[in-house]
Amino acid sequence: MRNQLVLSKQTFRGKRRGFSLVELLVVLLIIGLGFSLVSVNVGSSDGQQLQVEARQFANNTSLIAEEAVLSNRQWGVDIYRQLEEGIEQLGYRWLIRNDDGDWQLAVDSHRPVDFVFSPFIGLRISLEGADQPIEIPNKRDIETIKPMLQAQPKDEERPSVVEQLEQGNQREPIEPALWLLSSGEMSAFSMELYIIDDPDNKVTVVGDELGRIALKLPGDNDDE
């Protein structure tokens, strides 16, 4: 009888022992894995969107390169930055060269000609053989260049030197960052799209002089 009482007390004490150190470590490991999966899912959404928009740029540029050959006209890609509700965004639009050699915004009622990247996306673009990346300008309206010989205003209406310089800058013609020629050739370039808060999360779009455009995703080998 005494042995049974001792056994029952030991069993009761064992039940009151609680979790062992190993069990606590397992629980903490499971909780940590749960948090890491949540963070990966949140971060991967931006990464997936980054790949979608990079692929869209590559596909659109390939289509316009074919359009340049079929239409026997010179096309261009204007890459710009703009402020939208106080947030800076990067975008690109299609330009077409007219018979006078000036670049105009391509107009197409069947498809968009102006695209804006998501606000969390940054980009760097460089041409083959260039030492520095292309400086991305602010978006400007493409207007017809007015003739310089105009009736001069009266003295009190004549603009200041600063205003004249600003007007002169506005009249400077827009040059596209990339040229897509009717011969099928194009500007050889490398454009790196990345997440601003995570620069290592990036996708690279490359194009060669023969008009071939490829997309390099994370994990792709450089020699492929």
Side-chain angles (χ1 to χ4, degrees), residues 24-48:
L24 287 175
L25 289 176
V26 170
V27 172
L28 292 176
L29 178 61
I30 293 173
I31 294 174
L33 288 175
F35 279 115
S36 64
L37 288 175
V38 170
S39 62
V40 167
N41 287 333
V42 172
S44 64
S45 62
D46 288 348
Q48 291 173 357

Side-chain angles (χ1 to χ4, degrees), residues 139-157:
K139 186 177 184 180
R140 293 191 293 142
D141 294 332
I142 301 180
E143 299 176 350
T144 304
I145 300 176
K146 298 179 180 179
M148 297 299 294
L149 297 177
Q150 295 181 350
Q152 293 295 324
K154 297 179 180 180
D155 292 339
E156 63 272 17
E157 298 176 355

Side-chain angles (χ1 to χ4, degrees), residues 80-98:
Y80 60 84
R81 64 177 72 249
Q82 68 176 7
L83 281 178
E84 190 69 27
E85 296 181 354
I87 300 175
E88 184 178 83
Q89 288 182 274
L90 299 165
Y92 60 99
R93 55 185 174 175
W94 309 124
L95 305 181
I96 192 168
R97 202 176 189 190
N98 61 23

